[in-house]
Amino acid sequence: MSNQTVIYEVNQSIATITLNRPQQLNAMNNEMMLAMRDALARAQDDAIRVVVIRGAGRAFMAGGDVATFAARVSEITAILPGEIGLFHESIALIRGLKKPVIASVHGACAGGGLSLMLACDLAIAAQNAKFTMAYANIGTSPDGGASFFLPRVVGARRAMELMLLADKFDADAALRLGIVNSVVADDALAAHTAVVAARLSTGPTHAYANTKALIGASFERDLTTQLHAEMLAFTDCATGADFKEGVQAFVDKRTPTFNGM
């Protein structure tokens, strides 16, 4: 495995971002946060139609590199805003990407790792995945958008429980909570993720972008505003080649071939 803290690879139209500090369970340090932000910026390329985020080694991501906090405690309040800001740039990039982002999760997914997973559009978990919000265990509140995303998925009461108690829970519990879309055998994670990514990579990318934007904005709008936004987005899609191809394929009773436009 490369010495890079984040590895960016492209296979056809699928970009894979691998968090690569396996000895530290991919806990985030400043170098990793910079590299993750830069990798996500590269994924804005129109040639990329799906992004997969995964972890090297035994974990997806065990949150921030807490082991380094003690050595920097005297200067931590000066350092943290910039470092958390870098992490938040990555979260904003994920939400702004006009293509689906899949979290492929195994092993530890704690603190900022869980926040990162929640920011993604889809999450696939291996049976061995273990989750915890973790922040309360080190005496802090969440970052990475967890306080935004988690209540929207599980409700405010359950989100409060997960954040305040910071209990660990397994992949099956994550599925019941709705924070992952599917759970697969440990040795099937990579293959299942590849199947989902490949399916999305041949889909109507522009329609996906509009769908992602609609869902993202829906919690801040009233129904009338959302209905208007849906009308505009549908009309926008209908001007593209994928809509014409999809309609013709329906008439022809064949599988459409979308080009992402």
Side-chain angles (χ1 to χ4, degrees):
M1 188 65 74
S2 166
N3 290 326
Q4 297 171 284
T5 58
V6 171
I7 299 170
Y8 182 83
E9 301 169 295
V10 176
N11 181 11
Q12 296 181 342
S13 59
I14 300 170
T16 299
I17 296 172
T18 303
L19 311 175
N20 189 41
R21 299 185 75 219
Q23 298 306 313
Q24 295 79 26
L25 300 182
N26 301 316
M28 288 183 293
N29 63 4
N30 195 64
E31 183 182 358
M32 176 182 274
M33 285 186 282
L34 279 166
M36 181 164 62
R37 181 198 65 184
D38 292 347
L40 287 162
R42 291 176 67 183
Q44 292 176 316
D45 184 345
D46 288 342
I48 303 301
R49 296 174 71 176
V50 182
V51 178
V52 174
I53 301 177
R54 60 183 293 273
R58 297 182 292 116
F60 177 69
M61 186 206 284
D65 194 347
V66 179
T68 68
F69 290 171
R72 302 183 302 163
V73 69
S74 63
E75 56 183 356
I76 203 75
T77 56
I79 292 172
L80 277 180
E83 293 191 349
I84 293 173
L86 275 178
F87 182 34
H88 287 178
E89 286 182 46
S90 288
I91 300 300
L93 281 165
I94 289 170
R95 298 315 312 152
L97 283 172
K98 296 180 178 181
K99 58 207 71 179
V101 182
I102 305 170
S104 184
V105 180
H106 72 292
C109 180
L114 184 45
S115 299
L116 177 65
M117 186 198 81
L118 288 166
C120 296
D121 301 303
L122 299 173
I124 302 166
Q127 193 71 57
N128 69 6
K130 294 291 186 288
F131 304 87
T132 173
M133 284 309 302
Y135 294 97
N137 292 335
I138 62 167
T140 188
S141 52
D143 64 357
S147 63
F148 181 89
F149 298 117
L150 190 61
R152 285 163 167 75
V153 176
V154 304
R157 185 76 69 184
R158 185 53 59 88
M160 193 71 77
E161 175 188 346
L162 294 173
M163 291 178 180
L164 297 186
L165 299 180
D167 289 334
K168 294 179 181 179
F169 54 99
D170 62 17
D172 290 331
L175 184 63
R176 290 194 296 272
L177 286 166
I179 65 173
V180 301
N181 298 94
S182 57
V183 175
V184 299
D186 300 347
D187 60 2
L189 178 62
H192 185 73
T193 302
V195 167
V196 175
R199 179 176 175 184
L200 290 170
S201 73
T202 60
T205 310
H206 187 64
Y208 290 161
N210 280 353
T211 301
K212 183 171 175 174
L214 284 167
I215 291 174
S218 65
F219 293 96
E220 314 302 327
R221 292 172 172 161
D222 60 29
L223 177 59
T224 299
T225 304
Q226 186 70 4
L227 289 171
H228 182 67
E230 286 185 347
M231 180 271 291
L232 293 176
F234 192 114
T235 304
D236 176 60
C237 289
T239 65
D242 279 349
F243 178 79
K244 296 178 178 65
E245 166 62 11
V247 170
Q248 191 59 51
F250 179 85
V251 172
D252 296 343
K253 295 182 172 57
R254 59 175 174 82
T255 301
T257 301
F258 294 121
N259 63 16
M261 303 297 290

